[in-house]
Every structure is written in structure tokens, then in C-alpha cells.
Amino acid sequence: MKKSQILLSIICILMLLLHTACVKDSLDGPIPDPDTDGGTPDPEVPIDELEITELKIPSGFEFKTEKEVQLIINDNTSGVKYDVYAYNDQVLTGEQISYLNEENEEETGVEISVDNLNHLILSGMPSGGKIEHTFVVPEYFEKLYIRRKEGFTYTSAVVNITGTVVTYNHSSQSGKGASSAKPMVEDYLYCVNGSGEMFQIDPLTGGYTFISDMPMGSWTAAIDQENKVLYSIGRSKPNPLMKYDMVNDSWTTVGNLNIGGPRLDYNANDGLLYFSTGSRLYTIDPQNANILSNWDIIGLHKKNGGDLAFAEDGTIFLCSFSGLYRLDLNANGDYDATRISGEDLPFEPTSMTFDSNQELWLANNGGSSNLIVMDTQTGGWEYRYGPNSTSGVSFNRTINDLTTFRVFDEVTVDPDTDGDGITDSNDAFPEEADKAFEQFTPSKYGWGTVAFEDLWPFLGDYDFNDTTVNYRFVAILNADNMAVQLDIHFEVTSDGAALINAFGIELESISPSLVESVTGTVLTEGYINVAANGLEQGQNRAVVILFDNNETMLNVPTTVSIKFTTPITTAQLGIAPFNPFLIVAKDRTREIHLPNRFRTTLGVNDTSVEGVNQDIDGNYQTDSGLPWAINIVHNFKPPKESTPINQAYNFFNQWATSGGNSYQDWYKDSTGYRNESELKD
């Protein structure tokens, strides 16, 4: 071959390679017509092996992973606060951990967590006897957990989501009786377990209410009644002393004890925690987690398990797996254990507490624990609640420790610093009179994701990683449950595009005049025109461009705040993520939206493009139903470059072809759901 021919061939190859490197991966080309020869996939091919362009998408399916719920709470009681959660009683398993068990022996096990209170959607107090909000929950959620707080008394209900409207009516129950010789007092048993749950049980009814997820599972709990603080020791190394503020509903870690065990109580006489494991008793300073002193316990028949509790007169009672004991300080400075219960208990006590009537409550740590009442003089006992009782009440969860909180019928000092009518303990913004509550999408601690294919109106490779944005929307409400501000927390988590793209949100029911200011946007490219209030100019509705260069925003957590000129209802605000869209390659007219969502005033559907236009009608779905954008009410991990989403997520095909009825949680990190090797790091 002549040198000139060789040189020409090399140039042609280089040009071909260069062209290939500069063009984004695409599946573009005519979509097979299922009614023509060769268009129908081989019926023998399993659905999970079908190419994404071969899927038969039901007509009208918009690839939604969420559903809208309108919640109406009717309650005429003043001063009550509600927290509403998307409820899921699934038990999740995590990584292997090492911990000290109730016998003070080191074990390894799997971290267990319960998803009960991870999905806080909103908080609020009735205004005019009513709370009414519309929000979204993941499609697979079928229940709401509604928690009611009146003073320091909690009640709760789990309600089914059976339609688009859920109504909860509070009905007052008869009050608890008490002797006229002392202040009215209501007892509540606070329980913790190794799975990291803290919940409250009403000893009169057996009704239980979840209070909080703990930083770490625990075998211990003790309450400082005066300061309204609950202490607990983490079950795993380094065994942190954890402190729960009952007024502000918050956890902090005091310090690490580096020793674990099952028994704990608070002594109001000296302000110290008393902690016991095996045949040793310690005092702990609750301010700094320092161990101050220790004693030997003489006479325990079994040294494992149990709990300790102070009676009203200061007597220490301790139980181990061999039963109930009274502790008395002897002449040698140690504690003698005098056995009270018989030797034939049918249960092994793991926790105990005295109520205000000096009735001693115990629990065992079965998968569904029993609550037991025991007499401290005779050791007599009876099952009160649980599977072995005749009450009909079972908790279906483990109780690893008990402690009592007493609610007195007296005026509690709870100021209203900002004068908005909401006391500080119930006010998320106690020093700002125009703010009181929050509504979250998808939840207080969760993230949602909007993921885009940016080759619209042509087919892309459907890896949905061209621009991927994690979001959490927080609507800030006033005392009347009306929105005064919207905070958008977001982060670009994937930039698989070869194009510079912008990302915006349209508030479809909000006119630009209702927005006072927008702060926090990142606009550097010079083609987005912004009005004085921070909204994009030339729009009929309020449009916020959060950023205009996805490359510079990768892995940069950012918050944009929108303040309204006057409070608006959450119904007018709309449902987050509202109308999100991508602006492609600095072309302001070229917008990509979720299926069947309207483009903004500045968006244009140009059908006269070169190539195969897969979206002539401009509804952001191909003729076969595939979208260019998808909203996932979860932290979505995008596929690697050029890996279609149905190859990275094993049940995407089943979900899509069922119209969203099967595998509604296909995007989660459940066993067998993902091909981790096909996902971005």
C-alpha cells in the first residue's frame, strides 16, 4: 500500500475515533414497531432480560415512584402538637458489630434497625381545630404514623392509606384517676431495646407510642425526672452514655464509658447514675460520663441480665436472671443482695422500674416482651401485658430496659419566646414569630433524586446519570400552618453529561409577585436572566434556576431559600419537587421535564430537529413510553456510564411493565435489587 493511502487510512480512523469520543452514548434509532415483523421481542426472553427499548410500557404510566396523600387531622384541643411519619414496620439488618451482651460478654452480631420513625413528613399544631396538608410518600408505603403530644404525654395511631384522603379524628379519653391526697400524676413507662427503639407505654391501657430512634441500641434506660432527661448506655463499644432531652426531642452523647451492661437507674438524692453489670455496682457522673465509685454485690445467684431501680425511700432493688433482690450496704462497704422472689420464676427479668404508686414493673426480653408486675415484699407477680397475659395487648417488640416518667397535673413552665402562640418546646423556630413548623419532602432525614437523560428529543443510553440531583424540600410554616419560606437542599450527585446543563424548579401555582426573595442560587454562565427578587425573568409563574453549570456543582451541597411576600397555604405551594427541569447545553429554550409536565414560558418544543425525534408531541415520553427524566423519592445511586438503568436495577423492568404495581421499591438497596458493579461509586 502506498504511503499516501496508509496515511489517509490512519487519518480516517483517527477521525472516526475522535467523532466517537465526542458523541454521547445513545440508543437512538427507530424503535421497533411491535406490530411489524422483527419488532416483537422473543416471547421466550424473560422480562428481566429485555432491553429497555423493548419494554411494553402501559399507556398512561408516568414512571412515578410516589403518591399524593391529603391528610386532615381534626382536634379541638389547644396546645397539642402532631408529628406525621410515613410508616414502615420493616426490620433492617446492617453490618456486623461487636458488643457486650446482657451477661457482660463480648459478642458479634448484625446491627438491627427499625424504619419506624425515619420518615418524618410534617409537624404542626391544629389551627381552628384542624391540620390539613397534602404531601407525597413513596408508593410502597401503606400507612401513616400519627404521633400526638400534649404536654409530655404522647399518644399515637397507625392509619392506613386507603385512598388519596386520610382523615384522623382525635377523641378525648377519660382521664386517669389519682388520690386527692397528692398531685394528680400520670405514669408512662419508657422502654428501649437493642434495636435502637425508644417507646412509651401507658401502664393503664398498655397503649404504646414510638418516641424516637436512638443513636445506638441499648440495654439500659434511666430518667432524671426533674430535668426531664433520659439516659441510656450504648450496647456496642465504646458504650457511649447517651442523653435524650425530653423537652426538645434530641439526643446527645455525653461521653464513652467503654463498659457495657444491663442495669441502670438515676438517683434523685445525689444526682448520679447507678450502673451495674455482673456483681459490680458503679456510680456515674451524668455530666461527663466519669465513673466515680464502685462496690461488690454479694449474694447474687445468677450474675447476668436484669436491672436496678430506686424505691421511693431510696432502697436499691436489683434483679438478675435469678430474680428480684434488695441491696443493703454492709459493714465492709459492699452490698449484700437479699433474694425476694422465688426460685421458680417462669421468666428471666431484664428490666424493671417503680411507678408513682411504688408498683414494680418488670419485663423479659423476648421477641415480644411481657410486662410483669411484682410485689417487693413477697415476690408475688402477675403478667400484665404481653403474649403471656390475658390482656390481649402485645407489643411485638423487645423491651431491654424500662424506666418511669411521671407527668404531674401542674402548670409546666414552657415559655413562648417569640409570642406566636406556640410554646418553645413545640416551636421549631422559638425566636422567630413568623415561623413555627416544618414540612419535609421526602422526609426530615431522607433524600429524593431527580435523574435526567439529556439527549432529548433523541434516545439516550438510559443510564440516567447525565445530571442527577439529590433534593430535600423544607416548607417553613407559621403558627397557622401556612408557608412563609421554602428551603431547597440539593446536591448534584452525577455529571455523566458531555454538556453543560442547568437545573430549575417551577412553582406552578405561584405567581412571581408572591416571591419576596430567592437566595443561594449559583449562576455563573451569563445566560440566565434574573429579576430583582431572584426569580428568572420572563416567566408567567415563579421559576428558580438553582444552578447553570452541573459540572461545577458536582458533590457540592447547596441550599436555596425562597421567601414569600405573604403566607400561602401548602395547597397553593404545591407538591415538591414541583416541576423540576433541565436546561440542556446552555440552550435556554431546550428544557427536559418529567413525563407529561408542562415546559415553562421560556421552553420551546422544536420538532424540526435533525435526526429521529422521539418526542414529536412534546410530552417527554417516547412513543413506547420511556421518559427522559425520573423522580425517585429516595437517595438514588445512578448507574455507570452507558449502563441502562434496567441492567443496574434488577426489578426495573417488572416495575415499568406493570405500570408501577410490582416492585414499587425497585430502587432500594434491598437484597438482590441492585447490581453494585454496575453502579457509580
Side-chain angles (χ1 to χ4, degrees):
M1 182 181 294
K2 295 181 179 179
K3 289 184 179 180
S4 60
Q5 291 177 313
I6 295 174
L7 181 60
L8 180 61
S9 299
I10 292 174
I11 292 174
C12 290
I13 292 172
L14 289 174
M15 290 181 66
L16 178 62
L17 290 173
L18 181 61
H19 175 75
T20 303
C22 293
V23 177
K24 280 181 54 62
D25 292 329
S26 173
L27 299 176
D28 207 3
I31 299 177
D33 185 345
D35 296 325
T36 61
D37 291 341
T40 303
D42 187 339
E44 298 300 322
V45 177
I47 191 171
D48 58 338
E49 296 180 10
L50 291 175
E51 299 293 336
I52 196 167
T53 53
E54 297 174 331
L55 299 180
K56 293 185 176 180
I57 309 300
S59 176
F61 179 53
E62 297 180 341
F63 288 80
K64 289 185 176 181
T65 61
E66 76 281 3
K67 58 187 174 187
E68 293 186 12
V69 178
Q70 181 186 11
L71 174 66
I72 301 172
I73 297 175
N74 295 307
D75 190 339
N76 287 314
T77 312
S78 61
V80 297
K81 181 184 178 184
Y82 280 88
D83 296 303
V84 179
Y85 301 79
Y87 181 74
N88 180 13
D89 54 7
Q90 181 181 4
V91 177
L92 305 175
T93 57
E95 299 179 352
Q96 280 200 337
I97 59 171
S98 62
Y99 60 92
L100 292 176
N101 63 20
E102 293 189 344
E103 301 172 13
N104 202 33
E105 298 171 343
E106 184 170 320
E107 288 188 3
T108 59
V110 176
E111 185 71 65
I112 301 295
S113 63
V114 181
D115 202 22
N116 291 310
L117 297 184
N118 290 341
H119 304 279
L120 177 63
I121 298 171
L122 64 91
S123 298
M125 300 180 74
S127 177
K130 178 178 289 189
I131 296 176
E132 185 172 352
H133 290 298
T134 301
F135 47 82
V136 294
V137 297
E139 188 72 47
Y140 65 90
F141 275 92
E142 298 179 349
K143 299 177 181 180
L144 296 177
Y145 181 81
I146 300 175
R147 188 177 72 182
R148 181 180 186 271
K149 177 176 178 282
E150 184 175 359
F152 290 99
T153 301
Y154 290 89
T155 54
S156 65
V158 176
V159 297
N160 293 322
I161 303 173
T162 56
T164 57
V165 180
V166 175
T167 302
Y168 175 76
N169 299 312
H170 172 72
S171 57
S172 299
Q173 299 178 347
S174 58
K176 300 183 179 184
S179 169
S180 60
K182 61 179 181 179
M184 178 79 75
V185 60
E186 297 181 47
D187 290 328
Y188 291 94
L189 307 177
Y190 274 65
C191 310
V192 302
N193 60 26
S195 298
E197 298 176 294
M198 183 175 74
F199 50 99
Q200 177 195 84
I201 295 175
D202 185 336
L204 292 187
T205 65
Y208 71 86
T209 299
F210 286 105
I211 302 299
S212 176
D213 290 319
M214 306 174 67
M216 180 186 291
S218 177
W219 315 130
T220 59
I223 285 180
D224 174 356
Q225 177 74 38
E226 181 178 356
N227 293 304
K228 298 178 177 59
V229 170
L230 180 144
Y231 293 97
S232 186
I233 299 171
R235 75 174 192 181
S236 306
K237 292 181 177 179
N239 307 106
L241 176 62
M242 303 175 290
K243 175 181 176 181
Y244 175 71
D245 185 328
M246 303 175 76
V247 175
N248 297 310
D249 188 26
S250 61
W251 286 94
T252 55
T253 297
V254 179
N256 295 323
L257 287 173
N258 292 303
I259 183 172
R263 310 173 195 135
L264 186 71
D265 201 12
Y266 179 81
N267 187 355
N269 294 321
D270 59 16
L272 299 178
L273 292 166
Y274 282 66
F275 169 68
S276 177
T277 182
S279 58
R280 299 283 285 176
L281 177 66
Y282 305 86
T283 53
I284 299 170
D285 186 342
Q287 302 302 315
N288 51 31
N290 290 339
I291 296 176
L292 303 179
S293 54
N294 62 87
W295 302 267
D296 289 327
I297 302 172
I298 312 300
L300 293 179
H301 298 81
K302 291 183 179 179
K303 300 177 183 179
N304 52 324
D307 197 9
L308 66 86
F310 283 91
E312 194 172 39
D313 63 2
T315 302
I316 303 177
F317 287 86
L318 181 147
C319 65
S320 72
F321 281 171
S322 52
L324 180 66
Y325 298 82
R326 185 186 70 249
L327 299 187
D328 299 294
L329 197 63
N330 63 27
N332 297 322
D334 298 320
Y335 277 95
D336 289 327
T338 302
R339 189 172 189 168
I340 296 172
S341 63
E343 299 180 2
D344 57 348
L345 289 180
F347 55 86
E348 293 182 329
T350 57
S351 56
M352 67 180 187
T353 186
F354 284 98
D355 65 18
S356 61
N357 296 316
Q358 290 304 287
E359 197 168 41
L360 184 65
W361 292 79
L362 301 94
N364 65 350
N365 66 346
S368 180
S369 289
N370 290 289
L371 270 180
I372 302 139
V373 174
M374 181 178 285
D375 180 70
T376 58
Q377 300 299 316
T378 66
W381 57 272
E382 67 176 31
Y383 288 111
R384 189 64 59 88
Y385 301 112
N388 289 4
S389 72
T390 59
S391 66
V393 174
S394 289
F395 308 112
N396 300 314
R397 52 193 24 85
T398 300
I399 298 173
N400 286 116
D401 203 8
L402 285 169
T403 187
T404 302
F405 181 65
R406 299 170 177 84
V407 178
F408 293 92
D409 186 15
E410 56 189 21
V411 177
T412 301
V413 178
D414 190 2
D416 178 11
T417 301
D418 56 18
D420 63 355
I422 309 299
T423 58
D424 288 1
S425 67
N426 294 317
D427 197 332
F429 305 90
E431 297 182 355
E432 298 179 69
D434 62 334
K435 301 175 183 178
F437 308 117
E438 294 171 306
Q439 178 176 322
F440 305 93
T441 304
S443 64
K444 184 174 183 177
Y445 304 109
W447 293 93
T449 306
V450 185
F452 293 92
E453 282 289 306
D454 67 0
L455 286 187
W456 175 88
F458 312 112
L459 284 185
D461 52 10
Y462 282 97
D463 54 20
F464 283 102
N465 70 18
D466 294 345
T467 301
T468 303
V469 182
N470 275 15
Y471 65 79
R472 179 186 298 133
F473 289 84
V474 183
I476 299 175
L477 315 178
N478 64 14
D480 293 321
N481 298 311
M482 299 185 72
V484 297
Q485 182 173 317
L486 178 68
D487 288 346
I488 308 172
H489 305 274
F490 69 93
E491 181 177 351
V492 176
T493 56
S494 178
D495 170 31
L499 307 171
I500 294 178
N501 299 326
F503 178 71
I505 298 288
E506 180 184 48
L507 304 177
E508 297 161 292
S509 300
I510 305 298
S511 68
S513 63
L514 286 177
V515 174
E516 176 183 309
S517 65
V518 178
T519 57
T521 57
V522 183
L523 305 175
T524 60
E525 302 305 303
Y527 69 97
I528 302 297
N529 298 314
V530 178
N533 63 356
L535 294 177
E536 186 177 27
Q537 287 183 333
Q539 297 282 9
N540 294 334
R541 294 176 291 272
V543 173
V544 179
I545 307 301
L546 280 70
F547 60 84
D548 60 6
N549 187 333
N550 53 331
E551 294 180 356
T552 61
M553 297 301 295
L554 184 64
N555 300 323
V556 180
T558 308
T559 300
V560 167
S561 293
I562 304 171
K563 292 184 179 181
F564 302 112
T565 56
T566 185
I568 60 176
T569 66
T570 55
Q572 183 177 3
L573 177 61
I575 304 297
F578 309 104
N579 185 13
F581 62 95
L582 202 69
I583 301 172
V584 181
K586 297 186 180 183
D587 180 352
R588 183 58 195 86
T589 66
R590 188 177 171 191
E591 297 179 358
I592 299 177
H593 290 255
L594 295 169
N596 289 313
R597 302 303 291 270
F598 293 110
R599 59 186 51 81
T600 74
T601 307
L602 300 181
V604 175
N605 182 27
D606 184 3
T607 59
S608 61
V609 296
E610 294 183 5
V612 181
N613 188 336
Q614 301 288 355
D615 189 24
I616 295 294
D617 55 6
N619 69 347
Y620 297 104
Q621 284 186 279
T622 67
D623 288 341
S624 68
L626 292 175
W628 279 270
I630 187 170
N631 175 46
I632 301 164
V633 193
H634 195 271
N635 186 0
F636 175 66
K637 193 172 183 180
K640 290 181 177 179
E641 189 62 41
S642 301
T643 299
I645 191 171
N646 64 332
Q647 293 181 19
Y649 289 88
N650 294 326
F651 299 113
F652 179 89
N653 284 3
Q654 287 88 334
W655 173 70
T657 56
S658 71
N661 293 317
S662 298
Y663 291 99
Q664 294 175 333
D665 60 347
W666 59 269
Y667 45 80
K668 291 175 63 178
D669 188 17
S670 300
T671 303
Y673 275 41
R674 297 175 173 180
N675 292 323
E676 293 293 338
S677 63
E678 300 294 342
L679 297 175
K680 281 194 167 187
D681 295 331

